[in-house]
Amino acid sequence: QKEVEQNSGPLSVPEGAIASLNCTYSDRGSQSFFWYRQYSGKSPELIMFIYSNGDKEDGRFTAQLNKASQYVSLLIRDSQPSDSATYLCAVTGGSYIPTFGRGTSLIVHP
Amino acid sequence: GAVVSQHPSRVICKSGTSVKIECRSLDFQATTMFWYRQFPKQSLMLMATSNEGSKATYEQGVEKDKFLINHASLTLSTLTVTSAHPEDSSFYICSAHERGYEQYFGPGTRLTVT
């Protein structure tokens, strides 16, 4: 069974710091990796996707993928209180059906 | 990114009645849409995969006769909760993908069954 593991948190960081969110997955055949942000009471919003090993940067967000270690992470630089949310990691393995982690709760305190 | 809408955003119904939720892809055609359910403080649970022009594929443990899915066009999928009961109260979310593997979620429908 394909599994995606995330620390549920909460991860608490001060405003302006770097928040580091981690995700591991069990299926070595996984090909596509996604990070979604979900505010309380709202639906998930896609913020990053990465397909190749290495780093991918988009504004304050950087996704990092290491397929050998089956590890994907999301770094949020200059964290803001508005970044406080649950971050979901999702992985697909060649089909369009993703496997989601349970999410990590991030709290950015002023 | 692609835009997915859902209607209604909130619905309250009495036990035993049926509720229909619509999911639309607004600026792209979606041959496949997905329906999820999420209980408070829990993770997303995939209920079914909705395929345009064919029967939906339900996940294990999801009653196909209770959660009717219709994908009549490339931009519309509907989920009907039949004979709803209080335990069906949840946040229902649809999603679709445009070309790649990334999914775009609708805003969700909060169902409360009294």
Side-chain angles (χ1 to χ4, degrees):
Chain A
Q1 182 167 342
K2 299 174 184 177
E3 293 183 348
V4 176
E5 300 286 341
Q6 293 182 257
N7 188 320
S8 62
L11 172 67
S12 182
V13 301
E15 184 174 356
I18 296 175
S20 177
L21 303 159
N22 305 314
C23 172
T24 59
Y25 58 94
S26 63
D27 183 6
R28 280 202 171 274
S30 299
Q31 298 176 8
S32 308
F33 307 85
F34 308 92
W35 283 100
Y36 290 85
R37 176 175 61 197
Q38 186 174 23
Y39 292 112
S40 180
K42 302 294 185 183
S43 67
E45 173 192 11
L46 179 67
I47 54 173
M48 290 286 288
F49 58 89
I50 186 167
Y51 298 150
S52 305
N53 270 332
D55 295 359
K56 179 181 179 183
E57 188 174 316
D58 183 1
R60 295 188 296 114
F61 300 100
T62 299
Q64 298 176 318
L65 174 61
N66 184 325
K67 288 188 177 180
S69 300
Q70 295 174 240
Y71 176 95
V72 58
S73 65
L74 178 70
L75 301 178
I76 306 175
R77 288 181 299 282
D78 189 22
S79 296
Q80 301 297 310
S82 58
D83 294 326
S84 298
T86 296
Y87 289 80
L88 303 171
C89 172
V91 175
T92 64
S95 78
Y96 291 107
I97 301 175
T99 301
F100 281 88
R102 300 178 70 86
T104 297
S105 173
L106 173 67
I107 299 172
V108 181
H109 53 87
Chain B
V3 180
V4 177
S5 71
Q6 264 184 261
H7 179 80
S9 57
R10 289 179 179 272
V11 58
I12 301 172
C13 71
K14 294 193 175 190
S15 186
T17 61
S18 295
V19 173
K20 180 185 282 189
I21 302 170
E22 291 187 349
C23 176
R24 293 182 185 272
S25 56
L26 296 186
D27 52 358
F28 67 102
Q29 294 183 329
T31 54
T32 306
M33 291 183 174
F34 304 90
W35 287 97
Y36 293 84
R37 181 167 57 180
Q38 187 175 39
F39 292 105
K41 299 194 184 300
Q42 294 191 22
S43 62
L44 291 171
M45 187 195 86
L46 179 65
M47 299 176 66
T49 303
S50 170
N51 304 298
E52 188 267 336
S54 65
K55 291 183 179 180
T57 303
Y58 290 83
E59 296 298 302
Q60 192 172 9
V62 177
E63 300 174 58
K64 60 180 68 176
D65 293 332
K66 180 169 183 63
F67 298 100
L68 300 179
I69 291 173
N70 183 275
H71 196 150
S73 77
L74 287 171
T75 59
L76 174 64
S77 175
T78 60
L79 168 67
T80 301
V81 183
T82 62
S83 186
H85 291 285
E87 58 265 30
D88 298 323
S89 298
S90 188
F91 191 40
Y92 292 86
I93 315 171
C94 71
S95 72
H97 66 89
E98 190 177 8
R99 294 187 201 85
Y101 291 98
E102 60 270 23
Q103 291 198 12
Y104 296 92
F105 285 88
T109 297
R110 191 160 304 281
L111 170 64
T112 303
V113 185
T114 61

